[in-house]
Amino acid sequence: MKQISVVGSISMDLVVESDRRPSAGETVIGSAFHTVPGGKGANQAVAIARLGGNVEMVGCVGDDANGVAIRQNFETEQVGTTHLQTIANERTGTAHITLAEGDNSIVVVQSANLAVVYDEAQLDSLLGQTDMILLQLEIPLETVKQVARYGKTHGIPVVLNPAPAIVLDDELLDDVTYLTPNEHECGLIFGQQQSLEHWLSQYPNKLIVTEGSRGARFYDGDAIVTVPAIKTDVIDTTGAGDTFNGALAVSLTEGTSLTEAIRFANKAAGMSVRALGAQGGMPTREQMEVEA
């Protein structure tokens, strides 16, 4: 089985549920509070493991109770932790999530995720045997660039989920094999001067833009391909994008076409929003196969 290495963020998610979001200076009463493992990197690793992928998590936690709980969660989910570091005298990253009005808003505190920094020799040890690399932007940008460059140099496909979105330089865009923003992130990365269709056409078979209930689009070199989403009941959208990216990586390492990989990822993401929490609704491979 091919190995997928997720180089990215790990956090504990502190989730508040409320009927509506407070305006600036306003206090509202929430209906529930949950503490659940998260972080975009960790979420994507769990999604991969649930779908039967062989995954290693490359990242950092603090030497606090959250770090211990996250390690235990990885073991339960069968995510490899050989390359998971514990940083002394540091807190594990946290994400502060408000669920209201059918959507989420998130504030991330990076903490130990800022220690995800490696030299070339370490990258050989961490990634030399992997078959695919999955990245996000909740760790230092220089590390993301370094890992993407390593992947391209060594012929390892790299998926970059560019969230939280920033303007990306041409070298990084060239180094990654697949770029997977949502439509909002795409506007932040490339600007609003050109249409989404224009940017899709500039990055054939690389730029995959997710559009929620409308599915995902990419340009195959001849035409823009729309891969529809599944119809589903939405409980919590937190982690849907992470599920998409994990599922995409699993399907691509299994040798499917890009269209089929996106179809598989759309289905997994659609199933993931039916339960609370970033990881709570992530489907298993068996659940995917049972659902038509």
Side-chain angles (χ1 to χ4, degrees), residues 145-218:
K145 292 180 178 180
Q146 183 185 26
V147 171
R149 194 179 312 122
Y150 181 92
K152 184 174 183 181
T153 300
H154 292 82
I156 305 168
V158 176
V159 179
L160 173 59
N161 175 217
I166 58 172
V167 176
L168 303 177
D169 62 46
D170 290 341
E171 182 179 3
L172 179 56
L173 289 170
D174 183 59
D175 286 343
V176 301
T177 315
Y178 304 101
L179 184 73
T180 60
N182 62 33
E183 54 188 324
H184 173 69
E185 292 160 350
C186 195
L188 294 174
I189 293 166
F190 297 112
Q192 305 290 343
Q193 293 81 9
Q194 301 284 352
S195 67
L196 178 58
E197 290 76 12
H198 168 81
W199 291 116
L200 287 168
S201 69
Q202 299 305 299
Y203 298 97
N205 297 304
K206 172 179 286 197
L207 178 59
I208 303 161
V209 180
T210 60
E211 299 180 287
S213 62
R214 299 192 302 279
R217 288 193 286 170
F218 74 101

Side-chain angles (χ1 to χ4, degrees), residues 44-180:
Q44 292 174 14
V46 169
I48 291 166
R50 293 225 186 136
L51 294 169
N54 173 24
V55 58
E56 282 288 333
M57 184 71 223
V58 181
C60 299
V61 294
D63 60 351
D64 55 4
N66 285 338
V68 172
I70 284 167
R71 277 190 178 273
Q72 292 172 341
N73 184 64
F74 280 145
E75 291 173 9
T76 299
E77 296 288 351
Q78 299 185 321
V79 173
T81 57
T82 301
H83 304 308
L84 177 61
Q85 293 180 274
T86 298
I87 307 301
N89 303 313
E90 181 59 273
R91 293 179 181 272
T92 299
T94 52
H96 305 257
I97 301 170
T98 300
L99 299 180
E101 301 162 327
D103 210 337
N104 64 73
S105 52
I106 306 172
V107 176
V108 171
V109 182
Q110 292 176 290
S111 300
N113 291 309
L114 292 174
V116 183
V117 178
Y118 308 109
D119 60 29
E120 194 68 23
Q122 288 173 308
L123 287 181
D124 280 330
S125 174
L126 296 171
L127 303 172
Q129 302 302 312
T130 200
D131 297 289
M132 178 168 284
I133 299 167
L134 188 49
L135 288 162
Q136 321 78 37
L137 296 177
E138 290 181 340
I139 58 174
L141 181 59
E142 189 52 44
T143 301
V144 173
K145 292 180 178 180
Q146 183 185 26
V147 171
R149 194 179 312 122
Y150 181 92
K152 184 174 183 181
T153 300
H154 292 82
I156 305 168
V158 176
V159 179
L160 173 59
N161 175 217
I166 58 172
V167 176
L168 303 177
D169 62 46
D170 290 341
E171 182 179 3
L172 179 56
L173 289 170
D174 183 59
D175 286 343
V176 301
T177 315
Y178 304 101
L179 184 73
T180 60

Side-chain angles (χ1 to χ4, degrees), residues 203-254:
Y203 298 97
N205 297 304
K206 172 179 286 197
L207 178 59
I208 303 161
V209 180
T210 60
E211 299 180 287
S213 62
R214 299 192 302 279
R217 288 193 286 170
F218 74 101
Y219 179 67
D220 68 0
D222 294 316
I224 292 176
V225 178
T226 299
V227 184
I230 66 169
K231 294 183 179 180
T232 191
D233 296 322
V234 177
I235 301 298
D236 180 8
T237 59
T238 310
D242 296 330
T243 306
F244 178 94
N245 281 275
L248 183 74
V250 169
S251 192
L252 288 170
T253 56
E254 292 175 350

Side-chain angles (χ1 to χ4, degrees), residues 51 229-233 263-274 281-292:
L51 294 169
I230 66 169
K231 294 183 179 180
T232 191
D233 296 322
R263 196 180 314 280
F264 181 80
N266 277 347
K267 183 176 180 181
M271 293 176 69
S272 77
V273 303
R274 298 172 183 170
M282 288 177 173
T284 64
R285 191 60 171 258
E286 291 72 22
Q287 289 170 330
M288 291 275 288
E289 290 170 350
V290 165
E291 181 156 329

